[in-house]
Amino acid sequence: MTYPLEFRRVSREFQVRKGLLDLRGMTLRAVDDVSLHVEKGETLGLVGESGCGKSTLARMAVGLLAPSAGEVLIDAAPLASLMSRERARRIQMVFQDPFSSLNPRLSVGTSVAEPLRMTRPELSSADLRERVLAMLEKVELRPEQADLFPHEFSGGQRQRVAVARALVADPSLVVCDEPVSALDASVQAQVLNLLKDMQDERGLSYLFISHDLSVVGFMSRQIAVMYLGHIVELASRDELFSHPAHPYSRALLAAAPGKGGTPLAGEMPSPFVPPRGCAFHPRCPIARELCREKSPEEQASGGHIVRCHFPL
C-alpha cells in the first residue's frame, strides 16, 4: 500500500564529542528502529516528553536529516531519491517557533513566496504575488500585511504566516513539529482549527508532533507514543485514551491538564547510556525483573500495538 509518508525501521545516531581532545566521542541514538506511516488525508499524532526523539523524526521526514539506518518513503518513493524541488512539492514543515523559522530581514510576503519560487519557477512575479496574497487571506491575514516583517506580528499571526508558507506550494503532506506549544491557549485553538480547516479543504495528510496529549487528541485519529527513541504504543485516539496499554502512555494521560493525576516520577534516562532491558523500567510502577533484563518486543491486537512485557 502507498502512504504519503512511511518510516521503515528508521534509526538516527549522532556522534557527540565530550571535548576538543575527544576524537571518538559518544554515540547518541535519538531514534531507534521506528516504523510508522501516515494515512492519506489523515493525521498521525506523535507524542512524548522532550528529548524522546520526536523532532529528530520530523526532520528525517522532510530530509533535513538523513537516517543512519532504515528508509523514509514519500508516496512509496525513497525520500533520498527525490530532488529538492520534488520534495518541496510533496512535503512541507511547520516549525515550533514561528519567529526563528522566518527570516527577520524578509517581508512575510517574500517568505511565503519562497516555496513557490522553488517549485514553480515558471511563475511571473505578478503570479507569485497573487498566490501569496490569496494564501494569506486563507489563513485570515490581510493582503496588505504581506509587506510587513515578522517582528510586526503577534505570535499567533506569525504561526499563521508559517502555515501559509507551508501550504502555498500545495503539498500533500505537512509535518507539524510542536506548532502551537509557544502560543497562548486561545491562540492555540485558532491555529489548530486553521490546520483542520486546511486539511478538510485540501485533503492534506499531517504528521503532528506535540508533548501535549490534548492537542494531539484534537488533531489526530491515530496516535503514536514515543519514549527514548522507540515507539512504545500505537493506537487509535479513542482506544489510547480509553485503554492505554503501556504504563508510560497511562502516566502521560494521568498527568494531562484537567486529569488531576500526578506527574511521571523520575527523569528519562540518558540516551548515551540507556538502561539494560526496557528503557522505561527505572520509572515504571509495575516493572518486574524481566523488564530489567530484556528489551520488550511489540505485541499487537488489531490495530493496537504496544512494546511492553506486561501491557495493561
Side-chain angles (χ1 to χ4, degrees), residues 83-266:
M83 301 294 289
S84 297
R85 181 177 297 174
E86 186 61 28
R87 288 186 191 183
R89 283 177 177 168
R90 299 192 190 194
I91 186 169
Q92 288 287 330
M93 186 167 180
V94 178
F95 293 88
Q96 176 177 358
D97 183 357
F99 193 74
S100 63
S101 67
L102 296 170
N103 189 329
R105 298 184 179 182
L106 298 180
S107 69
V108 299
T110 302
S111 290
V112 171
E114 284 183 326
L116 272 178
R117 288 195 181 94
M118 171 179 264
T119 60
R120 299 292 300 276
E122 75 277 8
L123 292 178
S124 67
S125 296
D127 287 337
L128 281 173
R129 178 79 175 178
E130 181 180 348
R131 292 185 182 222
V132 166
L133 296 184
M135 181 52 66
L136 289 177
E137 286 192 282
K138 283 281 189 186
V139 299
E140 300 179 8
L141 294 173
R142 300 187 307 277
E144 59 267 25
Q145 291 178 294
D147 297 320
L148 301 180
F149 289 83
H151 71 273
E152 299 179 89
F153 291 84
S154 68
Q157 288 176 320
R158 282 195 291 267
Q159 198 60 295
R160 288 176 181 273
V161 172
V163 171
R165 184 179 60 180
L167 299 185
V168 72
D170 202 23
S172 58
L173 173 71
V174 179
V175 175
C176 301
D177 185 13
E178 298 273 11
V180 297
S181 63
L183 305 177
D184 293 337
S186 61
V187 183
Q188 281 188 12
Q190 294 172 16
V191 174
L192 293 175
N193 283 319
L194 170 63
L195 288 169
K196 293 203 81 168
D197 290 344
M198 291 292 100
Q199 182 176 42
D200 292 341
E201 179 183 319
R202 296 173 171 233
L204 293 167
S205 305
Y206 288 142
L207 174 61
F208 190 94
I209 296 169
S210 178
H211 66 278
D212 188 332
L213 265 171
S214 62
V215 169
V216 170
F218 176 76
M219 289 295 300
S220 315
R221 292 187 184 179
Q222 193 83 356
I223 298 176
V225 181
M226 195 169 192
Y227 186 79
L228 204 64
H230 292 279
I231 300 300
V232 297
E233 189 161 6
L234 175 66
S236 69
R237 172 189 58 211
D238 295 343
E239 180 71 13
L240 183 71
F241 279 30
S242 61
H243 300 100
H246 197 284
Y248 178 59
S249 304
R250 180 161 290 194
L252 290 179
L253 285 164
K259 295 296 184 181
T262 56
L264 191 62

Side-chain angles (χ1 to χ4, degrees), residues 261-312:
T262 56
L264 191 62
E267 296 184 359
M268 191 180 300
S270 167
F272 292 106
V273 190
R276 182 180 178 182
C278 173
F280 187 61
H281 87 255
R283 307 170 73 187
C284 182
I286 62 169
R288 307 179 196 177
E289 190 60 32
L290 177 63
C291 306
R292 300 177 179 88
E293 297 295 328
K294 183 180 178 182
S295 180
E297 301 290 335
E298 287 186 353
Q299 301 184 44
S301 176
H304 196 152
I305 299 171
V306 60
R307 186 187 292 264
C308 180
H309 290 302
F310 306 102
L312 300 167

